[in-house]
């Protein structure tokens, strides 16, 4: 029996107002009915832990590490930018094959994926047609925003590339 290789199940980009900016799901979770809603709840449940970790005065890195283990299969890992935007990766220890008993990942093994996500987000912010303030709940409520979701095709493709390419031990994605 072959051991499974952990894979990324979901990537969430969360705005500084705790609003979801983007959520991507990865196989095998893309074919499960209701998975988008389930992962939205998982990401939302990690927000309090993000807040607790962000208050830590001894933190020297943007990598917040393991936020919480959902069960023996899924765990949520976090990264926070200097502007308060948060990246969350839900890791599936069983991998894309869904084989039980895969190896876990250690602290720092997701840094390459988080750095790649941050680079993609910086490139999005450098786009003169993307205005981050249009993606806040207040702007959407007042009718001057474009809704809370990021719709940049280039950004979404890059997030999906990162999620599919990452493997344990990769320092660059």
């Amino acid at each position: 029996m072959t051991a499974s290789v952990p894979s990324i199940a979901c990537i969430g980009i969360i705005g500084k107002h705790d609003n979801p900016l983007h959520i991507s799901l990865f196989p095998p979770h893309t074919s499960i009915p209701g998975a988008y809603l389930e992962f939205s709840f998982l990401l939302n449940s990690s927000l309090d832990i993000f807040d607790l970790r962000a208050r830590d005065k001894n933190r020297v890195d943007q990598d917040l590490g393991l936020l919480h283990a959902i069960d023996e299969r899924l765990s949520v890992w976090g990264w926070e930018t200097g502007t308060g935007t948060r990246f969350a990766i839900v890791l599936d220890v069983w991998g894309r094959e869904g084989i039980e008993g895969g190896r876990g990942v250690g602290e720092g093994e997701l840094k390459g994926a988080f750095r790649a996500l941050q680079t993609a987000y910086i490139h999005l912010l450098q786009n003169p047609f993307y205005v981050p303030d249009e993606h806040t709940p207040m702007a959407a409520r007042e009718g001057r925003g474009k809704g809370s979701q990021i719709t940049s095709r280039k950004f979404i493709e890059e997030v999906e590339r990162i999620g599919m390419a990452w493997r344990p031990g990769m320092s660059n994605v």
Side-chain angles (χ1 to χ4, degrees):
M1 185 168 129
T2 60
S4 63
V5 176
S7 65
I8 293 176
C10 173
I11 294 177
I13 314 295
I14 303 162
K16 63 183 174 183
H17 301 288
D18 292 343
N19 54 315
L21 297 175
H22 177 74
I23 298 173
S24 284
L25 299 182
F26 300 95
H29 304 281
T30 52
S31 61
I32 299 171
Y36 186 85
L37 183 61
E38 180 181 337
F39 281 100
S40 295
F41 286 140
L42 290 177
L43 294 173
N44 194 351
S45 71
S46 68
L47 294 177
D48 290 336
I49 302 166
F50 266 110
D51 291 339
L52 287 171
R53 296 273 176 91
R55 285 190 235 148
D56 182 9
K57 303 296 182 210
N58 297 324
R59 186 173 66 132
V60 289
D61 198 351
Q62 295 173 307
D63 185 2
L64 301 176
L66 176 66
L67 298 179
H68 61 106
I70 309 302
D71 54 25
E72 68 277 355
R73 182 175 187 175
L74 300 174
S75 57
V76 181
W77 299 73
W79 180 280
E80 185 169 25
T81 68
T83 60
T85 301
R86 299 162 177 179
F87 303 133
I89 293 178
V90 180
L91 194 69
D92 185 346
V93 180
W94 293 0
R96 300 203 197 293
E97 301 82 27
I99 301 170
E100 282 189 57
R103 79 169 189 88
V105 297
E107 288 289 327
E109 283 198 69
L110 284 162
K111 277 190 181 186
F114 281 123
R115 284 189 191 113
L117 285 170
Q118 186 166 10
T119 300
Y121 188 70
I122 289 169
H123 286 263
L124 175 70
L125 293 176
Q126 290 172 341
N127 180 345
F129 298 106
Y130 178 77
V131 180
D133 291 337
E134 290 181 344
H135 297 276
T136 64
M138 290 74 68
R141 186 175 53 244
E142 294 169 3
R144 60 182 172 83
K146 295 183 178 179
S148 63
Q149 297 290 309
I150 294 172
T151 57
S152 167
R153 183 179 46 82
K154 186 175 179 182
F155 176 77
I156 293 169
E157 287 172 358
E158 182 62 8
V159 170
E160 290 174 355
R161 184 197 69 77
I162 293 165
M164 293 300 289
W166 179 84
R167 297 288 178 267
M170 289 182 79
S171 58
N172 292 322
V173 179

